[in-house]
Amino acid sequence: MHKPPPTIGPVQTPLAYIAQRWTPSPRILRRAALSAVLMSVLIIVTGGAVRLTGSGLGCDTWPKCTDDSLFATPEQGLHGAIEFGNRMLTYVLSAAVGWAIIAVRATKPRRRGLGRLTWLQFWIVCANAVIGGITVWAGLNPWSVAGHFLLATGLLTVATVTWVRTGEGDGAPRPRVPRPVRRLSWAIVGVTALLIVLGTSVTGSGKHAGDSSDVARMPWDWTAAAHIHAIAAWVVCALAVAMWLVLRVVDAPDDTRARARDLLLVVLAQGVIGYVQYFTHVPEILVGVHMFGSALMWIAVVRLALSLRERPVVEVPSPGRPADALSAV
């Protein structure tokens, strides 16, 4: 008797295969998202270390370290090791983003919005790797260096949003404070973003070119750029103080007030570090600490803005339970 051919199931992607066999706990999901945040901060700090140690051209080409070697050679010395080590950290960052992608994909019910955020992180990492290579080819052109840093900050933004969203539902956002307070938070976001951009103009026109050779600088006076940057910092500080006070007046939730307090503390610390480094002729170690503070400040700004609204959990219909019986929001 003739047997029918065996039925072949649909071909699964590796992510679908994993999702079918594993469901991460909420804690694992949060940790996966947090790992991408931490690695985003680390890659900013180590990128600054490359620049501040004069190792920007430690590997003189890209994607290889030399024309003949993928790895740093003994002849390139410490600068080559530092630059190559920073490049290798990109793979660790990619692994952290990959873990977040897998954890989000395996979460049940599936959270497509969260998945888009994790994949956006992946594409930003790829884009910034290319910009990093262009920066090397361009001999540390200050404009491409600034773009490299700003895109890294963009990655930190998406990673932070993803991390916060893993602790929320997927319902429509609902405000937790009055509209004027939310508008104040967006003013803080906008002015802080401007502050970070102005910071690249200070670095791009200052003495830390990233290499000991004659690297071009941005065409304006470093001192003037630093003064404009300081004015923006004072505006951010004033807005942070205003937000801290306003949230107490409107009796905002405790976690929101905690986010405002965190931002105020980070901004004040950044201001102190910024003035100390200016009056001590921008020593490398303080510039590195200031870059780390910039990442922490931006995380605090994003978390504050997101804490002013909430997203409820949307229940998904299950077998035997009609959709209209659910308390969906």
Side-chain angles (χ1 to χ4, degrees):
M1 183 176 180
H2 178 70
K3 294 183 179 180
T7 302
I8 300 177
V11 177
Q12 290 184 314
T13 65
L15 288 175
Y17 181 85
I18 294 172
Q20 191 176 57
R21 289 158 177 79
W22 176 62
T23 300
S25 66
R27 176 178 293 183
I28 290 177
L29 178 63
R30 290 276 288 173
R31 287 179 175 177
L34 179 59
S35 70
V37 175
L38 296 178
M39 281 306 306
S40 298
V41 173
L42 182 60
I43 206 74
I44 288 174
V45 174
T46 57
V50 169
R51 183 187 189 93
L52 296 169
T53 58
S55 304
L57 295 178
C59 289
D60 51 26
T61 189
W62 184 86
K64 292 183 177 181
C65 198
T66 71
D67 290 334
D68 303 318
S69 175
L70 180 63
F71 307 98
T73 63
E75 292 76 17
Q76 291 172 302
L78 181 61
H79 291 320
I82 292 173
E83 165 65 4
F84 183 73
N86 184 63
R87 292 187 183 188
M88 291 300 98
L89 274 179
T90 301
Y91 294 100
V92 182
L93 171 63
S94 299
V97 171
W99 184 26
I101 290 173
I102 293 171
V104 169
R105 177 62 180 85
T107 297
K108 299 175 183 64
R110 188 171 178 181
R111 303 184 62 179
R112 296 184 183 276
L114 207 54
R116 285 190 288 269
L117 287 172
T118 55
W119 276 106
L120 180 57
Q121 292 179 53
F122 171 79
W123 292 116
I124 293 176
V125 171
C126 293
N128 217 14
V130 173
I131 292 178
I134 293 173
T135 300
V136 173
W137 290 341
L140 303 184
N141 180 285
W143 299 99
S144 61
V145 171
H148 194 46
F149 171 77
L150 292 176
L151 195 54
T153 304
L155 172 63
L156 179 60
T157 306
V158 180
T160 302
V161 172
T162 306
W163 176 44
V164 172
R165 292 280 289 108
T166 58
E168 300 177 324
D170 290 321
R174 299 187 303 208
R176 305 174 74 195
V177 295
R179 179 176 293 180
V181 181
R182 300 198 305 275
R183 288 178 174 173
L184 177 60
S185 76
W186 288 115
I188 293 175
V189 170
V191 178
T192 306
L194 176 62
L195 174 66
I196 293 173
V197 172
L198 291 173
T200 66
S201 74
V202 177
T203 305
S205 58
K207 68 176 185 177
H208 297 298
D211 185 69
S212 58
S213 62
D214 187 19
V215 175
R217 314 306 294 133
M218 289 182 177
W220 47 70
D221 180 66
W222 172 82
T223 302
H227 288 165
I228 295 173
H229 180 65
I231 292 171
W234 277 110
V235 174
V236 172
C237 186
L239 292 174
V241 170
M243 176 62 81
W244 182 73
L245 293 173
V246 165
L247 289 177
R248 300 179 74 85
V249 170
V250 301
D251 196 24
D254 290 342
D255 62 306
T256 298
R257 287 193 281 176
R259 298 290 81 76
R261 178 204 61 208
D262 295 344
L263 173 61
L264 184 57
L265 292 175
V266 174
V267 169
L268 291 174
Q270 273 290 85
V272 171
I273 295 169
Y275 275 106
V276 171
Q277 73 171 358
Y278 178 80
F279 289 112
T280 55
H281 307 290
V282 287
E284 287 83 355
I285 184 65
L286 284 183
V287 176
V289 173
H290 200 54
M291 291 185 68
F292 176 61
S294 170
L296 295 183
M297 180 180 65
W298 186 241
I299 291 174
V301 166
V302 173
R303 292 184 72 196
L304 172 61
L306 295 178
S307 73
L308 301 183
R309 89 289 179 276
E310 61 184 355
R311 285 179 176 270
V313 175
V314 177
E315 297 187 48
V316 178
S318 58
R321 188 181 185 190
D324 56 6
L326 298 176
S327 56
V329 292

